[in-house]
Structures are given as structure tokens and as C-alpha cells.
């Protein structure tokens, strides 16, 4: 399966702990996106990378959130000092980032529960 | 923030019937895309329509776009129980004349198809 892979699928943590999620995009895709989705809502944009460069961050991404994409391959999203409001599904997506190839390919997501 | 509003929020139909979902958006777009999401999973791309197109077909799917009204509709014909899922519209907005491929999603329509 050469789709977008996210790990872990589920993460339960206590408030105040740090968590890190990993996303492996489709290998030839140079764009990688992170979205957050809460129950009953559509995905909300968090940030995106063009290769290893982080080009845009949403205001939703507070100082406690940091994302990296070293070498333009996999990406990690870290949340420090988690809060209950961080509980959500974190979705990663990738694309070729070219005209005629704008559709996003999503992973299955990481469901975060902060207790 | 959510760009689109989808209508209805929930739709319940019998197998074989057609399902129509509507989406409205606020800003100028390069393209509008529809995605499907099964419960607890990632999103799957269904169809993309560009701002200079008015109608597009893919199998049992028909999408229309009215840029003057900033609205789109997704029609699923001859629905099946397997079509049960949430459906989201997503807009790729114009930003300085360049599409960055960053999608803004609506809140979705929950479709239930009864066998």
C-alpha cells in the first residue's frame, strides 16, 4: 500500500503531556498538509509544507504546536503541554502540488484523546 | 474557519434513490472538490471541478458549480448502502492569483442510505 500513512492511529494522553504524531506521505508528493477535525465538523487547516519548507501556519497552530518535515519526506506534528481542547482527529494529506494534480490524498488520521 | 456551508446537514434515503448535497462558499476559487469520509477514517477524493467549469460527471456522481452564486451541488444517482458516509466540499481559494492547494472544508453532509 503506497498511500499516506499515519502513526499512531490512536493516542490517549494525560493533560500536560507532550505527544508526537508521524505522517509518511506518498513518496513522490512534494506537498504535505496537516488538518485537525473535531466531531461533526469538517477538517480545519493547520499547516503545510512544500518539500522541507513550512510555507503557512494557521492561527489554530498555537505555540504549543510544532511541525517539521526534515529532508522533505515524512513529517511530525508535536503538541506540547496537551490540553483537553486538543482532543481531535489529526489528519495528514499529501499532493503533487501541481496544476491538474491538486487533489489531496489523506491518511487515516491519528485520534488524540486528552484526559 | 470554515469557508463552506453544506446543506442539508444530514440526509436519509432509500437505496436506489438519488442524493443531492449542496455547498456554498464565500471567496473566489480555483477549484472546488468533494470528498467522502467513512466514520473514523480519512477522507477520499471524489471529484474536482474547476472555476471555469459548470458541470462534471464521474460514474454515478454529478457535480455542478455556479460561481456567480458561489455554490455547488453533488448528486449521487442510484444510491447504495455503501454510499453511507459524510460528504465534504472543499475549496481551493485564489491567493494572489496562485493556488497553493490549501483546501478549506465545509462542515459536511451525513448521508445514510437504507437498504
Amino acid at each position: 500500500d503506497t498511500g499516506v500513512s499515519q502513526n499512531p492511529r490512536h493516542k490517549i494522553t494525560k493533560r500536560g503531556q507532550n505527544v508526537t504524531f508521524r505522517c509518511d506521505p506518498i513518496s513522490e508528493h512534494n506537498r504535505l498538509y496537516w488538518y485537525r477535525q473535531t466531531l461533526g465538523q469538517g477538517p480545519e487547516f493547520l499547516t503545510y509544507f512544500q518539500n522541507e519548507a513550512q510555507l503557512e501556519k494557521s492561527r489554530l497552530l498555537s505555540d504549543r504546536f510544532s511541525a517539521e518535515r526534515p529532508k522533505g519526506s515524512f513529517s511530525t506534528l508535536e503538541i506540547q503541554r496537551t490540553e483537553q481542547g486538543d482532543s481531535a482527529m489529526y489528519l495528514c494529506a499529501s499532493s503533487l502540488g501541481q496544476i491538474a494534480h491538486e487533489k489531496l490524498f489523506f491518511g487515516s488520521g491519528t485520534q488524540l484523546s486528552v484526559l | 474557519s470554515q469557508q463552506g456551508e453544506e446543506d442539508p446537514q444530514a440526509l436519509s434515503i432509500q437505496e436506489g434513490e438519488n442524493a443531492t448535497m449542496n455547498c456554498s462558499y464565500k471567496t473566489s476559487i480555483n477549484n472546488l472538490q468533494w470528498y467522502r469520509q467513512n466514520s473514523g477514517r480519512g477522507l477520499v477524493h471524489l471529484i474536482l471541478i474547476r472555476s471555469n467549469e459548470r458541470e462534471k460527471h464521474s460514474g454515478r456522481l454529478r457535480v455542478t458549480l455556479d460561481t456567480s452564486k458561489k455554490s455547488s451541488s453533488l448528486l449521487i444517482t442510484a444510491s447504495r448502502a455503501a454510499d453511507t458516509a459524510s460528504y465534504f466540499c472543499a475549496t481551493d481559494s485564489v491567493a494572489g492569483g496562485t493556488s497553493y492547494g490549501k483546501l478549506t472544508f465545509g462542515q459536511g453532509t451525513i448521508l445514510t442510505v437504507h437498504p
Side-chain angles (χ1 to χ4, degrees), chain B residues 54-85:
Chain B
R54 292 297 168 258
E55 186 171 316
K56 203 160 185 181
H57 297 254
S58 177
R60 293 184 296 115
L61 305 180
R62 172 177 167 252
V63 171
T64 62
L65 179 65
D66 186 336
T67 53
S68 66
K69 295 180 179 178
K70 290 187 168 56
S71 67
S72 174
S73 68
L74 172 68
L75 169 67
I76 304 174
T77 60
S79 63
R80 306 165 181 167
D83 294 329
T84 295

Side-chain angles (χ1 to χ4, degrees), chain A residues 9 31 33 35 37 40-45 48 56 89 91 99-109, chain B residues 1-2 31 33 35 37 40-45 48 50 88 92 99-108:
Chain A
R9 286 296 316 279
R31 287 198 181 168
Y33 307 80
Y35 283 82
Q37 185 179 27
Q41 301 295 315
E44 292 180 298
F45 171 80
Y48 93 99
E56 187 174 342
M89 173 81 86
L91 294 163
I99 298 298
H101 298 279
E102 299 101 324
K103 71 179 186 181
L104 301 189
F105 293 79
F106 280 85
S108 294
Chain B
S1 62
Q2 302 285 330
N31 65 67
Q33 303 179 34
Y35 286 80
Q37 184 179 36
R41 308 292 295 183
L43 285 80
V44 175
H45 181 267
L48 179 153
R50 301 192 183 283
F88 296 91
D92 186 348
S99 167
Y100 295 101
K102 181 190 85 176
L103 299 181
T104 304
F105 286 83
Q107 294 185 332

Side-chain angles (χ1 to χ4, degrees), chain A residues 1 22 32 44 58 70 93 108:
Chain A
D1 186 349
R22 177 179 171 125
L32 186 148
E44 292 180 298
S58 162
S108 294

Side-chain angles (χ1 to χ4, degrees), chain A:
Chain A
D1 186 349
T2 57
V4 178
S5 176
Q6 290 189 249
N7 288 288
R9 286 296 316 279
H10 304 274
K11 179 71 177 177
I12 300 173
T13 190
K14 292 183 179 179
R15 190 176 52 186
Q17 297 293 306
N18 300 343
V19 294
T20 300
F21 312 140
R22 177 179 171 125
C23 172
D24 288 271
I26 294 172
S27 58
E28 62 268 28
H29 286 183
N30 54 24
R31 287 198 181 168
L32 186 148
Y33 307 80
W34 285 98
Y35 283 82
R36 181 172 71 185
Q37 185 179 27
T38 54
L39 197 62
Q41 301 295 315
E44 292 180 298
F45 171 80
L46 292 179
T47 187
Y48 93 99
F49 294 83
Q50 172 89 17
N51 299 314
E52 67 274 11
Q54 188 174 18
L55 296 187
E56 187 174 342
K57 294 195 297 185
S58 162
R59 289 174 296 172
L60 294 174
L61 219 61
S62 74
D63 291 344
R64 297 184 296 106
F65 288 71
S66 62
E68 294 183 343
R69 192 183 182 196
K71 302 178 183 178
S73 55
F74 72 91
S75 176
T76 58
L77 177 67
E78 180 183 16
I79 308 174
Q80 296 182 329
R81 305 181 303 280
T82 52
E83 302 173 355
Q84 288 186 326
D86 297 331
S87 295
M89 173 81 86
Y90 290 84
L91 294 163
C92 175
S94 68
S95 77
L96 280 169
Q98 302 170 3
I99 298 298
H101 298 279
E102 299 101 324
K103 71 179 186 181
L104 301 189
F105 293 79
F106 280 85
S108 294
T110 294
Q111 182 67 53
L112 173 65
S113 298
V114 182
L115 305 178

Side-chain angles (χ1 to χ4, degrees), chain B residues 8-24:
Chain B
Q9 291 188 339
L11 182 59
S12 181
I13 59 175
Q14 295 294 128
E15 230 175 6
E17 294 180 340
N18 296 342
T20 299
M21 290 160 263
N22 302 297
C23 167
S24 61

